[in-house]
Amino acid sequence: MELGKDLIFARNVEGLTALMQNAVVGIAGCGGLGSNIAVALTRAGIGKLILLDFDIIEPSNLNRQYFFLNDVGKLKVDALSKHLKNINSEIIIEKQIKQIDKEDTEKIFYPADILIEAFDRAESKKFLIESWVKAFPDKPVIVGNGLSGFGNTDLLKVQKVGNIYFCGDGFTNMDLGLTSARVAIVANMQANLAIEIIAKKGGLNADYKQPRQD
Amino acid sequence: MLTINNRDKIEWQPGMTVSDVLNKMGYNYSLITVTVNGVLILEEDYDTYEVEDNAQISVFHLAHGG
């Protein structure tokens, strides 16, 4: 079914859809973080995503990643692209099906206004952050850092240093297991931050003040 | 005086590098990102990058999971 953007994004705050439409976001890793980030950004009206992942979907991914039983065995980037186009058929997706090292970051993600780090391993997080900031010191990178286990929602936070944003608790490791809700919270913190950066850059106010209760 | 993670303070010495600061703080874990006054320092520069007095340094541990 083809639906116009004005219908799909009717609940976006005025002005946001146009800003999102013109934005390009890179997502490095399409697992628990990346798949959920991509869905959130697509639902917010993102114009273009660069999706990077080399892996195929395994049954153990279904506890937290945005995939379904009949996706098992497919490439994550392919299955995710299909789901995203099923939300907004006009989204532009650049598929990057490969493993990367620090030399590749710049040439793969250069069109992106923002890079979102959604890798599994801390070693990969490190080289991605360093190679991105070295190539594009003025462009933001949003890192998922510490999202294992369950509960403990109040430990999750956003910390900013320069143009690097860290989302998560900053310390929980995979030996605590990876659980749907906590992974998705951090993924959505990352997506929410990307939306905020895009909106603010476009002059859309995102500073909410709680009204006084007394 | 150097401030690390808005919390810890250590005495500054002339010529002090990022590696010196990390050693002094007892950080021997390699999976970290380090910034000095908001500027990311690449790992290859830890041994040569000299920090100024009164610098604000942040050290983020990177946790596995994604």
Side-chain angles (χ1 to χ4, degrees):
Chain A
M1 184 164 50
E2 292 285 326
L3 290 173
K5 280 200 280 288
D6 49 340
L7 293 174
I8 295 173
F9 302 115
R11 291 290 177 272
N12 271 357
V13 68
E14 199 184 338
L16 182 63
T17 307
L19 295 174
M20 292 298 293
Q21 188 63 47
N22 289 319
V24 181
V25 172
I27 302 179
C30 295
L33 291 175
S35 63
N36 286 297
I37 291 164
V39 168
L41 291 177
T42 301
R43 293 195 195 280
I46 193 77
K48 178 176 172 177
L49 291 175
I50 302 168
L51 302 178
L52 176 111
D53 200 292
F54 68 94
D55 228 347
I56 59 164
I57 298 152
E58 296 174 25
S60 66
N61 299 149
L62 297 186
N63 84 326
R64 65 192 187 286
Q65 306 188 12
Y66 205 96
F67 299 114
F68 302 91
L69 280 173
N70 59 4
D71 290 330
V72 172
K74 295 178 186 163
L75 283 161
K76 289 183 179 180
V77 168
D78 283 343
L80 184 58
S81 299
K82 216 167 166 184
H83 301 325
L84 301 178
K85 296 234 174 200
N86 222 356
I87 296 166
N88 173 17
S89 60
E90 292 179 32
I91 187 173
I92 299 167
I93 296 169
E94 186 182 319
K95 297 180 187 179
Q96 294 283 350
I97 301 164
K98 58 184 73 160
Q99 243 178 325
I100 66 163
D101 59 33
K102 63 182 177 188
E103 279 74 39
D104 304 317
T105 307
E106 181 175 2
K107 60 176 187 277
I108 289 177
F109 288 112
Y110 76 90
D113 304 305
I114 300 171
L115 179 62
I116 304 188
E117 181 287 315
F119 282 147
D120 236 1
R121 296 171 61 246
E123 293 83 353
S124 311
K125 293 175 187 285
K126 183 176 167 85
F127 87 68
L128 190 79
I129 298 166
E130 292 196 349
S131 53
W132 176 259
V133 173
K134 188 175 179 182
F136 307 108
D138 298 326
K139 290 193 196 183
V141 54
I142 302 175
V143 182
N145 193 32
L147 45 100
S148 300
F150 55 85
N152 293 290
T153 307
D154 53 346
L155 292 179
L156 302 172
K157 54 186 183 274
V158 179
Q159 290 174 284
K160 177 182 192 291
V161 55
N163 280 316
I164 312 170
Y165 299 78
F166 294 91
C167 297
D169 58 46
F171 69 94
T172 53
N173 258 314
M174 283 192 298
D175 50 4
L176 291 168
L178 293 162
T179 316
S180 58
R182 205 160 193 263
V183 173
I185 290 171
V186 173
N188 281 288
M189 287 171 79
Q190 292 179 271
N192 199 31
L193 195 51
I195 294 166
E196 184 179 355
I197 291 169
I198 292 164
K200 280 185 171 168
K201 196 176 155 200
L204 205 57
N205 177 33
D207 294 321
Y208 303 147
K209 296 251 186 322
Q210 193 175 4
R212 288 177 63 118
Q213 299 293 316
D214 50 29
Chain B
M1 191 71 79
L2 302 172
T3 308
I4 292 105
N5 290 346
N6 291 320
R7 188 184 58 216
D8 302 311
K9 308 254 184 210
I10 58 171
E11 206 60 52
W12 176 79
Q13 284 154 5
M16 213 172 186
T17 65
V18 168
S19 287
D20 295 332
V21 173
L22 296 175
N23 286 334
K24 197 142 193 168
M25 291 299 297
Y27 287 114
N28 47 21
Y29 185 67
S30 67
L31 296 172
I32 53 175
T33 56
V34 179
T35 65
V36 177
N37 294 328
V39 177
L40 181 76
I41 311 301
L42 305 180
E43 183 164 2
E44 66 217 44
D45 298 330
Y46 289 175
D47 287 338
T48 52
Y49 190 96
E50 294 187 10
V51 296
E52 298 169 11
D53 196 10
N54 301 313
Q56 298 280 339
I57 298 165
S58 69
V59 180
F60 285 89
H61 281 243
L62 296 170
H64 296 287

